[in-house]
Amino acid sequence: MAIDRNKVTAAAQKYIQKGAFTKAIKEYKLIMKEFPDDVRTLLKIGDLEARAGLPADAARTYNEVADYYVAHGFFPKAVAAYKLLLGVQPDNVDAKLRLADLHYQLGLLRDALANFADVASIYMQRGQNDLAEQSYARAAELAPNSFDAHYHLAYARQLLGKLDLA
């Protein structure tokens, strides 16, 4: 049975005005059932999940939006979606790594290096120095002339007892 998209959208807007975000989400999900490739509606759902205090749901939705944009070659929009995801889950390592790769593909080396450094810092805070080393190694690989990238890689290797490589 086809839905009346305008009626469903109007109902969702009324719920949003009342602050009933979960009800608005349900309305927008009706649209998604009929139009599964409607990424703009999916993005609205993610925004509403964030406003409703559902960060895990919002992160999943933003990740789905980012995946869609990557698959269709819209890399700047994917970057924006990953940034929204990181707004609700700042320590999401997978999103930071994907964002770093996208920044590199877009020629934004400084941003890519900053993301790899953020990832490495999270890993070090978690005591996962081997993973921090991998992140710093990726940064050093992308920027072979970067003193900072090589310095941090050497430090991570020192912590791991790899003094010959440090």
Side-chain angles (χ1 to χ4, degrees), residues 26-111:
K26 288 179 184 177
E27 295 294 324
Y28 282 124
K29 285 185 177 183
L30 292 174
I31 294 172
M32 290 304 301
K33 283 182 183 178
E34 193 160 326
F35 304 98
D37 288 335
D38 184 352
V39 72
R40 288 184 182 185
T41 298
L42 189 60
L43 187 58
K44 286 180 190 176
I45 291 171
D47 292 343
L48 289 169
E49 289 168 337
R51 289 175 71 183
L54 304 167
D57 293 342
R60 272 191 300 278
T61 302
Y62 289 143
N63 192 65
E64 190 176 337
V65 169
D67 287 347
Y68 175 89
Y69 284 139
V70 168
H72 290 84
F74 300 120
F75 299 136
K77 289 185 176 192
V79 166
Y82 281 126
K83 287 182 178 181
L84 289 170
L85 188 160
L86 291 169
V88 295
Q89 285 186 340
D91 288 346
N92 187 314
V93 173
D94 291 333
K96 283 185 184 276
L97 287 171
R98 289 189 211 127
L99 186 58
D101 286 333
L102 282 171
H103 278 144
Y104 181 71
Q105 288 177 22
L106 292 169
L108 303 170
L109 182 60
R110 183 173 291 158
D111 292 332

Coordinates of all heavy atoms in Angstrom, one line a residue, residues 26-111:
K26 N 9.5 7.4 13.8 CA 8.6 6.3 13.3 C 7.9 6.7 12.0 O 7.8 5.9 11.0 CB 7.5 5.9 14.3 CG 8.1 5.1 15.5 CD 7.0 4.8 16.5 CE 7.7 4.1 17.7 NZ 6.7 3.8 18.8
E27 N 7.5 8.0 11.9 CA 6.9 8.5 10.6 C 7.9 8.4 9.5 O 7.6 7.9 8.4 CB 6.4 9.9 10.8 CG 5.2 10.0 11.8 CD 4.0 9.3 11.4 OE1 3.6 9.3 10.2 OE2 3.2 8.7 12.2
Y28 N 9.1 8.9 9.7 CA 10.1 8.9 8.7 C 10.5 7.5 8.3 O 10.8 7.2 7.1 CB 11.3 9.7 9.1 CG 11.1 11.2 8.9 CD1 11.3 12.1 10.0 CD2 10.7 11.8 7.7 CE1 11.1 13.4 9.9 CE2 10.5 13.1 7.6 CZ 10.7 14.0 8.7 OH 10.5 15.3 8.6
K29 N 10.4 6.6 9.2 CA 10.8 5.2 8.9 C 9.7 4.6 7.9 O 10.0 3.7 7.2 CB 11.0 4.3 10.1 CG 12.3 4.6 10.8 CD 12.6 3.7 12.0 CE 13.9 4.0 12.5 NZ 14.3 3.1 13.6
L30 N 8.5 5.1 8.0 CA 7.4 4.7 7.1 C 7.8 5.1 5.6 O 7.7 4.3 4.7 CB 6.1 5.3 7.4 CG 5.4 4.8 8.7 CD1 4.2 5.6 9.0 CD2 5.1 3.3 8.6
I31 N 8.4 6.2 5.5 CA 8.9 6.7 4.2 C 10.0 5.8 3.7 O 10.1 5.4 2.6 CB 9.3 8.2 4.3 CG1 8.1 9.1 4.5 CG2 10.0 8.6 3.0 CD1 8.4 10.5 4.8
M32 N 10.9 5.5 4.7 CA 12.1 4.7 4.3 C 11.7 3.3 3.8 O 12.3 2.7 3.0 CB 13.1 4.5 5.5 CG 13.8 5.8 5.8 SD 14.7 6.5 4.4 CE 15.8 5.2 4.0
K33 N 10.6 2.7 4.4 CA 10.1 1.4 3.9 C 9.7 1.4 2.4 O 10.0 0.5 1.7 CB 8.9 0.9 4.8 CG 9.3 0.4 6.1 CD 8.1 -0.1 6.9 CE 8.5 -0.5 8.3 NZ 7.4 -1.0 9.1
E34 N 9.1 2.5 2.0 CA 8.7 2.6 0.6 C 9.8 3.2 -0.3 O 9.8 2.9 -1.5 CB 7.5 3.5 0.5 CG 6.8 3.4 -0.8 CD 5.3 3.9 -0.8 OE1 4.7 3.7 0.2 OE2 4.9 4.4 -1.8
F35 N 10.7 4.0 0.3 CA 11.8 4.6 -0.5 C 13.1 4.3 0.2 O 13.7 5.2 0.8 CB 11.5 6.1 -0.6 CG 10.2 6.5 -1.3 CD1 9.2 6.9 -0.4 CD2 10.0 6.5 -2.6 CE1 7.9 7.2 -1.0 CE2 8.8 6.8 -3.2 CZ 7.8 7.2 -2.4
P36 N 13.6 3.1 0.1 CA 14.8 2.7 0.9 C 16.1 3.5 0.5 O 17.0 3.5 1.3 CB 14.9 1.2 0.6 CG 14.1 0.9 -0.6 CD 13.0 2.0 -0.7
D37 N 16.1 4.1 -0.7 CA 17.3 4.8 -1.1 C 17.2 6.3 -0.8 O 18.0 7.1 -1.3 CB 17.6 4.6 -2.6 CG 18.1 3.2 -2.9 OD1 18.6 2.6 -2.0 OD2 17.8 2.7 -4.0
D38 N 16.2 6.7 -0.1 CA 16.0 8.1 0.3 C 17.0 8.5 1.4 O 16.6 8.5 2.6 CB 14.6 8.4 0.7 CG 14.3 9.8 0.9 OD1 15.2 10.7 0.9 OD2 13.1 10.2 1.1
V39 N 18.2 8.8 1.0 CA 19.2 9.1 2.0 C 19.0 10.4 2.8 O 19.4 10.5 3.9 CB 20.6 9.1 1.3 CG1 20.8 10.4 0.4 CG2 21.7 9.0 2.3
R40 N 18.2 11.3 2.2 CA 17.9 12.6 2.9 C 17.0 12.3 4.1 O 17.2 12.9 5.2 CB 17.3 13.6 2.0 CG 18.3 14.2 1.0 CD 17.7 15.3 0.2 NE 18.7 15.7 -0.8 CZ 18.5 16.7 -1.6 NH1 17.3 17.4 -1.6 NH2 19.4 17.1 -2.4
T41 N 16.0 11.4 3.9 CA 15.1 11.0 5.0 C 15.9 10.3 6.0 O 15.7 10.5 7.2 CB 13.9 10.2 4.4 OG1 13.2 11.1 3.5 CG2 13.0 9.8 5.5
L42 N 16.8 9.4 5.6 CA 17.6 8.7 6.5 C 18.5 9.6 7.3 O 18.6 9.4 8.6 CB 18.5 7.7 5.7 CG 19.3 6.7 6.6 CD1 18.4 5.8 7.4 CD2 20.2 5.8 5.6
L43 N 19.0 10.6 6.7 CA 19.8 11.6 7.5 C 18.9 12.4 8.5 O 19.3 12.6 9.6 CB 20.4 12.6 6.5 CG 21.4 13.7 7.1 CD1 22.5 13.0 7.8 CD2 21.9 14.5 5.9
K44 N 17.7 12.7 8.1 CA 16.7 13.3 9.1 C 16.5 12.3 10.3 O 16.4 12.8 11.4 CB 15.4 13.6 8.4 CG 15.4 14.8 7.5 CD 14.0 15.0 6.9 CE 14.1 16.0 5.8 NZ 12.8 16.1 5.1
I45 N 16.4 11.1 10.0 CA 16.2 10.1 11.1 C 17.4 10.1 12.0 O 17.2 10.1 13.2 CB 16.0 8.7 10.5 CG1 14.6 8.6 9.8 CG2 16.1 7.6 11.6 CD1 14.4 7.3 9.0
G46 N 18.6 10.1 11.5 CA 19.8 10.2 12.3 C 19.8 11.5 13.2 O 20.1 11.4 14.4
D47 N 19.4 12.6 12.6 CA 19.4 13.9 13.3 C 18.4 13.8 14.5 O 18.6 14.2 15.6 CB 19.0 15.0 12.4 CG 20.1 15.3 11.4 OD1 21.3 14.9 11.6 OD2 19.8 16.0 10.4
L48 N 17.2 13.2 14.2 CA 16.2 13.0 15.2 C 16.6 12.0 16.3 O 16.3 12.3 17.5 CB 14.9 12.6 14.6 CG 14.2 13.7 13.8 CD1 13.0 13.1 13.0 CD2 13.7 14.8 14.7
E49 N 17.3 11.0 15.9 CA 17.8 10.0 16.9 C 18.8 10.7 17.8 O 18.8 10.5 19.1 CB 18.5 8.8 16.2 CG 17.4 7.9 15.6 CD 18.1 6.9 14.6 OE1 19.2 7.1 14.1 OE2 17.4 5.9 14.4
A50 N 19.6 11.6 17.3 CA 20.6 12.3 18.1 C 19.9 13.3 19.0 O 20.2 13.4 20.2 CB 21.6 13.1 17.2
R51 N 18.9 14.0 18.5 CA 18.1 14.9 19.4 C 17.3 14.2 20.4 O 17.0 14.7 21.5 CB 17.1 15.7 18.5 CG 17.9 16.8 17.6 CD 17.0 17.5 16.7 NE 16.1 18.4 17.4 CZ 15.2 19.1 16.8 NH1 15.0 19.1 15.5 NH2 14.4 20.0 17.5
A52 N 16.9 12.9 20.1 CA 16.1 12.1 21.1 C 17.0 11.5 22.2 O 16.5 10.8 23.0 CB 15.3 11.0 20.3
G53 N 18.3 11.7 22.1 CA 19.2 11.1 23.1 C 19.5 9.6 22.8 O 19.7 8.9 23.7
L54 N 19.5 9.3 21.5 CA 19.8 7.9 21.1 C 21.1 7.8 20.3 O 21.1 7.6 19.1 CB 18.6 7.3 20.3 CG 17.2 7.4 20.9 CD1 16.1 7.1 19.9 CD2 17.2 6.4 22.1
P55 N 22.2 8.1 21.0 CA 23.5 8.2 20.2 C 23.9 6.9 19.5 O 24.4 7.1 18.4 CB 24.5 8.6 21.3 CG 23.9 8.1 22.6 CD 22.4 8.2 22.4
A56 N 23.6 5.8 20.0 CA 24.0 4.5 19.3 C 23.2 4.4 18.0 O 23.7 4.0 17.0 CB 23.9 3.3 20.2
D57 N 21.9 4.7 18.1 CA 21.0 4.6 16.9 C 21.4 5.7 15.9 O 21.5 5.4 14.7 CB 19.6 4.8 17.3 CG 19.0 3.7 18.2 OD1 19.6 2.6 18.2 OD2 18.0 3.9 18.8
A58 N 21.7 6.9 16.4 CA 22.1 8.0 15.5 C 23.4 7.6 14.8 O 23.6 7.8 13.6 CB 22.3 9.3 16.3
A59 N 24.4 7.0 15.5 CA 25.7 6.6 14.9 C 25.5 5.6 13.9 O 26.1 5.7 12.8 CB 26.6 6.1 16.0
R60 N 24.6 4.6 14.1 CA 24.3 3.6 13.1 C 23.7 4.2 11.8 O 24.1 3.9 10.7 CB 23.4 2.5 13.7 CG 24.1 1.4 14.4 CD 23.2 0.2 14.6 NE 22.0 0.5 15.5 CZ 22.1 0.6 16.8 NH1 23.2 0.4 17.5 NH2 21.0 1.0 17.5
T61 N 22.8 5.1 12.1 CA 22.1 5.8 10.9 C 23.1 6.6 10.1 O 23.1 6.6 8.9 CB 20.9 6.6 11.4 OG1 20.0 5.7 12.1 CG2 20.2 7.2 10.3
Y62 N 23.9 7.4 10.8 CA 24.9 8.3 10.2 C 25.9 7.4 9.4 O 26.3 7.8 8.3 CB 25.6 9.2 11.1 CG 24.8 10.3 11.7 CD1 24.9 10.7 13.0 CD2 23.8 11.0 10.9 CE1 24.2 11.7 13.6 CE2 23.1 12.0 11.4 CZ 23.3 12.4 12.8 OH 22.5 13.4 13.3
N63 N 26.3 6.3 10.0 CA 27.2 5.4 9.3 C 26.6 4.8 8.0 O 27.2 4.7 7.0 CB 27.6 4.2 10.2 CG 28.7 3.4 9.7 OD1 29.8 3.9 9.5 ND2 28.5 2.2 9.3
E64 N 25.3 4.5 8.1 CA 24.6 4.0 6.9 C 24.5 5.1 5.8 O 24.7 4.9 4.6 CB 23.1 3.6 7.3 CG 22.4 2.9 6.2 CD 21.0 2.4 6.7 OE1 20.8 2.2 7.9 OE2 20.2 2.2 5.8
V65 N 24.3 6.4 6.2 CA 24.3 7.5 5.3 C 25.7 7.7 4.7 O 25.8 7.8 3.4 CB 23.9 8.8 6.0 CG1 24.1 10.0 5.1 CG2 22.4 8.7 6.4
A66 N 26.7 7.6 5.5 CA 28.1 7.7 5.0 C 28.4 6.6 4.0 O 29.0 6.9 3.0 CB 29.1 7.7 6.1
D67 N 28.0 5.4 4.3 CA 28.3 4.3 3.4 C 27.6 4.5 2.1 O 28.2 4.2 1.0 CB 27.8 2.9 4.1 CG 28.7 2.5 5.2 OD1 29.8 3.0 5.4 OD2 28.2 1.6 5.9
Y68 N 26.4 5.0 2.1 CA 25.7 5.3 0.9 C 26.4 6.3 0.0 O 26.6 6.1 -1.2 CB 24.3 5.8 1.2 CG 23.5 6.2 0.0 CD1 22.7 5.3 -0.7 CD2 23.6 7.5 -0.5 CE1 22.0 5.7 -1.9 CE2 22.9 7.9 -1.6 CZ 22.1 7.0 -2.3 OH 21.4 7.4 -3.4
Y69 N 26.9 7.4 0.7 CA 27.6 8.4 0.0 C 28.9 7.9 -0.6 O 29.3 8.2 -1.7 CB 27.8 9.6 0.8 CG 26.6 10.5 1.0 CD1 26.3 11.0 2.3 CD2 25.7 10.8 0.0 CE1 25.2 11.8 2.5 CE2 24.6 11.5 0.2 CZ 24.3 12.1 1.4 OH 23.2 12.9 1.6
V70 N 29.6 7.1 0.1 CA 30.9 6.5 -0.3 C 30.6 5.6 -1.6 O 31.3 5.7 -2.6 CB 31.6 5.7 0.8 CG1 32.7 4.9 0.2 CG2 32.2 6.7 1.8
A71 N 29.6 4.8 -1.4 CA 29.3 3.8 -2.5 C 28.9 4.6 -3.8 O 29.1 4.0 -4.9 CB 28.1 2.9 -2.1
H72 N 28.3 5.8 -3.7 CA 27.9 6.5 -4.8 C 28.9 7.6 -5.2 O 28.6 8.4 -6.1 CB 26.5 7.1 -4.6 CG 25.4 6.0 -4.6 ND1 25.2 5.3 -3.4 CD2 24.6 5.6 -5.5 CE1 24.2 4.4 -3.7 NE2 23.9 4.6 -5.0
G73 N 30.1 7.6 -4.6 CA 31.1 8.5 -5.0 C 31.0 10.0 -4.5 O 31.7 10.9 -4.9
F74 N 30.1 10.2 -3.5 CA 29.9 11.5 -2.9 C 30.8 11.7 -1.7 O 30.3 11.7 -0.6 CB 28.4 11.8 -2.6 CG 27.5 11.7 -3.8 CD1 26.5 10.8 -3.9 CD2 27.7 12.5 -4.9 CE1 25.6 10.7 -4.9 CE2 26.8 12.4 -6.0 CZ 25.8 11.5 -6.0
F75 N 32.1 11.7 -1.9 CA 33.0 11.7 -0.7 C 32.9 12.9 0.2 O 32.9 12.7 1.4 CB 34.4 11.6 -1.2 CG 34.7 10.3 -2.0 CD1 35.4 10.3 -3.2 CD2 34.1 9.1 -1.6 CE1 35.6 9.1 -3.9 CE2 34.3 7.9 -2.3 CZ 35.0 7.9 -3.4
P76 N 32.7 14.1 -0.3 CA 32.5 15.2 0.7 C 31.3 15.1 1.5 O 31.3 15.4 2.7 CB 32.4 16.5 -0.2 CG 33.2 16.1 -1.5 CD 32.8 14.6 -1.7
K77 N 30.2 14.5 1.0 CA 29.0 14.3 1.8 C 29.2 13.2 2.8 O 28.7 13.2 3.9 CB 27.8 13.9 0.9 CG 27.3 15.2 0.1 CD 26.1 14.8 -0.7 CE 25.6 16.1 -1.4 NZ 24.2 15.9 -1.9
A78 N 30.0 12.2 2.4 CA 30.4 11.1 3.3 C 31.2 11.6 4.5 O 31.0 11.3 5.6 CB 31.2 10.0 2.6
V79 N 32.1 12.6 4.2 CA 32.9 13.2 5.2 C 31.9 13.9 6.2 O 32.1 13.8 7.4 CB 33.9 14.2 4.6 CG1 34.5 15.1 5.7 CG2 35.0 13.5 3.9
A80 N 31.0 14.6 5.7 CA 30.0 15.3 6.6 C 29.2 14.3 7.4 O 29.0 14.6 8.6 CB 29.1 16.2 5.7
A81 N 28.8 13.2 6.8 CA 28.1 12.2 7.6 C 29.0 11.6 8.7 O 28.5 11.4 9.8 CB 27.6 11.1 6.7
Y82 N 30.2 11.3 8.4 CA 31.1 10.8 9.4 C 31.3 11.8 10.6 O 31.4 11.4 11.7 CB 32.5 10.3 8.9 CG 32.4 9.0 8.2 CD1 32.8 8.8 6.9 CD2 31.9 7.9 8.8 CE1 32.8 7.6 6.2 CE2 31.8 6.6 8.2 CZ 32.3 6.5 6.9 OH 32.2 5.3 6.3
K83 N 31.4 13.1 10.2 CA 31.5 14.1 11.3 C 30.3 14.1 12.2 O 30.4 14.3 13.4 CB 31.8 15.5 10.6 CG 33.2 15.6 10.1 CD 33.5 16.9 9.5 CE 35.0 17.0 9.0 NZ 35.3 18.3 8.5
L84 N 29.1 13.9 11.6 CA 27.9 13.9 12.4 C 28.0 12.7 13.3 O 27.6 12.7 14.5 CB 26.7 13.8 11.5 CG 26.3 15.0 10.7 CD1 25.2 14.8 9.7 CD2 25.9 16.1 11.7
L85 N 28.4 11.5 12.8 CA 28.6 10.3 13.6 C 29.5 10.6 14.7 O 29.2 10.2 15.9 CB 29.1 9.2 12.7 CG 29.2 7.8 13.3 CD1 29.2 6.8 12.2 CD2 30.3 7.6 14.2
L86 N 30.6 11.2 14.5 CA 31.6 11.5 15.5 C 31.1 12.5 16.5 O 31.6 12.6 17.7 CB 32.9 12.0 14.9 CG 33.7 10.9 14.2 CD1 34.9 11.4 13.4 CD2 34.2 9.8 15.1
G87 N 30.1 13.3 16.1 CA 29.4 14.2 17.1 C 28.7 13.5 18.1 O 28.6 14.0 19.3
V88 N 28.2 12.3 17.8 CA 27.4 11.5 18.8 C 28.3 10.4 19.4 O 28.0 9.9 20.5 CB 26.1 10.9 18.3 CG1 25.2 12.0 17.9 CG2 26.4 10.0 17.1
Q89 N 29.4 10.0 18.8 CA 30.3 9.0 19.3 C 31.7 9.5 19.0 O 32.4 9.0 18.0 CB 30.0 7.6 18.7 CG 28.8 6.9 19.2 CD 28.7 5.5 18.6 OE1 29.3 5.1 17.6 NE2 27.9 4.7 19.3
P90 N 32.3 10.4 19.8 CA 33.6 11.0 19.5 C 34.7 10.0 19.4 O 35.7 10.3 18.8 CB 33.8 12.0 20.6 CG 32.4 12.2 21.2 CD 31.6 11.0 20.9
D91 N 34.6 8.9 20.1 CA 35.7 7.9 20.1 C 35.5 6.7 19.2 O 36.1 5.6 19.4 CB 35.9 7.4 21.6 CG 36.6 8.5 22.5 OD1 37.1 9.5 21.9 OD2 36.5 8.3 23.7
N92 N 34.6 6.9 18.2 CA 34.4 5.8 17.3 C 35.6 5.7 16.3 O 35.7 6.5 15.4 CB 33.1 6.1 16.5 CG 32.7 4.9 15.6 OD1 33.5 4.3 14.9 ND2 31.4 4.6 15.6
V93 N 36.4 4.7 16.6 CA 37.7 4.5 15.9 C 37.4 4.2 14.4 O 38.1 4.7 13.5 CB 38.6 3.5 16.6 CG1 39.8 3.1 15.7 CG2 39.0 3.9 18.0
D94 N 36.5 3.3 14.1 CA 36.2 3.0 12.8 C 35.8 4.2 11.9 O 36.3 4.3 10.8 CB 35.1 1.9 12.7 CG 35.5 0.6 13.2 OD1 36.7 0.3 13.2 OD2 34.7 -0.2 13.7
A95 N 35.0 5.0 12.5 CA 34.6 6.2 11.7 C 35.7 7.2 11.5 O 35.9 7.7 10.4 CB 33.4 6.9 12.5
K96 N 36.6 7.3 12.5 CA 37.8 8.2 12.4 C 38.7 7.6 11.3 O 39.3 8.4 10.5 CB 38.5 8.3 13.7 CG 37.8 9.3 14.6 CD 38.7 9.5 15.9 CE 38.0 10.4 16.9 NZ 38.2 11.8 16.6
L97 N 38.9 6.3 11.3 CA 39.7 5.7 10.2 C 39.2 5.9 8.8 O 39.9 6.2 7.9 CB 40.0 4.2 10.5 CG 40.9 3.9 11.7 CD1 40.9 2.4 12.0 CD2 42.3 4.4 11.4
R98 N 37.9 5.7 8.7 CA 37.2 5.9 7.4 C 37.3 7.4 7.0 O 37.6 7.7 5.8 CB 35.8 5.5 7.4 CG 35.7 4.0 7.5 CD 34.2 3.5 7.3 NE 34.0 2.3 8.0 CZ 33.1 2.1 8.9 NH1 32.2 3.0 9.2 NH2 33.0 1.0 9.6
L99 N 37.2 8.3 8.0 CA 37.3 9.7 7.7 C 38.7 10.1 7.3 O 38.9 10.8 6.3 CB 36.8 10.5 8.9 CG 36.7 12.0 8.8 CD1 35.8 12.4 7.7 CD2 36.3 12.6 10.2
A100 N 39.7 9.5 7.9 CA 41.1 9.7 7.5 C 41.3 9.3 6.1 O 41.9 10.0 5.3 CB 42.0 9.0 8.5
D101 N 40.8 8.1 5.7 CA 41.0 7.6 4.4 C 40.3 8.6 3.4 O 40.8 8.8 2.3 CB 40.5 6.2 4.2 CG 41.4 5.2 4.9 OD1 42.7 5.5 5.0 OD2 41.0 4.1 5.3
L102 N 39.1 9.0 3.7 CA 38.4 9.9 2.8 C 39.1 11.2 2.7 O 39.2 11.8 1.6 CB 37.0 10.2 3.3 CG 36.0 9.1 3.0 CD1 34.7 9.3 3.8 CD2 35.7 8.9 1.6
H103 N 39.6 11.8 3.8 CA 40.4 13.0 3.7 C 41.6 12.8 2.8 O 41.9 13.7 2.0 CB 40.8 13.4 5.1 CG 39.8 14.2 5.9 ND1 39.6 14.0 7.2 CD2 38.8 15.0 5.5 CE1 38.6 14.8 7.7 NE2 38.1 15.4 6.6
Y104 N 42.3 11.7 2.9 CA 43.4 11.5 2.1 C 43.0 11.4 0.6 O 43.7 12.0 -0.3 CB 44.1 10.2 2.5 CG 45.4 9.9 1.7 CD1 46.5 10.7 1.8 CD2 45.4 8.9 0.7 CE1 47.6 10.5 1.0 CE2 46.5 8.7 -0.1 CZ 47.6 9.4 0.1 OH 48.7 9.2 -0.7
Q105 N 41.9 10.7 0.3 CA 41.4 10.6 -1.1 C 41.1 12.0 -1.6 O 41.2 12.2 -2.8 CB 40.2 9.7 -1.2 CG 40.6 8.2 -1.0 CD 39.3 7.3 -1.0 OE1 38.3 7.7 -1.5 NE2 39.4 6.2 -0.4
L106 N 40.6 12.8 -0.8 CA 40.2 14.2 -1.2 C 41.4 15.2 -1.3 O 41.2 16.3 -1.6 CB 39.1 14.7 -0.3 CG 37.8 14.0 -0.4 CD1 36.8 14.5 0.7 CD2 37.1 14.3 -1.8
G107 N 42.6 14.7 -0.9 CA 43.8 15.5 -1.0 C 43.9 16.4 0.3 O 44.7 17.3 0.3
L108 N 43.2 16.0 1.3 CA 43.3 16.8 2.6 C 44.2 16.0 3.6 O 43.8 15.5 4.6 CB 41.9 16.9 3.2 CG 40.9 17.6 2.3 CD1 39.5 17.5 2.8 CD2 41.3 19.1 2.0
L109 N 45.5 16.1 3.2 CA 46.5 15.3 4.0 C 46.6 15.7 5.5 O 46.6 14.9 6.3 CB 47.9 15.4 3.3 CG 49.0 14.6 4.0 CD1 48.7 13.1 4.0 CD2 50.3 14.9 3.3
R110 N 46.5 17.0 5.7 CA 46.6 17.5 7.1 C 45.5 16.9 7.9 O 45.7 16.4 9.1 CB 46.6 19.0 7.2 CG 46.8 19.5 8.6 CD 47.0 21.0 8.6 NE 48.3 21.3 8.0 CZ 48.6 22.5 7.4 NH1 47.7 23.4 7.4 NH2 49.8 22.7 6.9
D111 N 44.3 16.9 7.4 CA 43.1 16.4 8.1 C 43.3 14.8 8.3 O 42.9 14.3 9.3 CB 41.8 16.7 7.3 CG 41.5 18.2 7.3 OD1 41.9 18.9 8.3 OD2 40.8 18.6 6.4

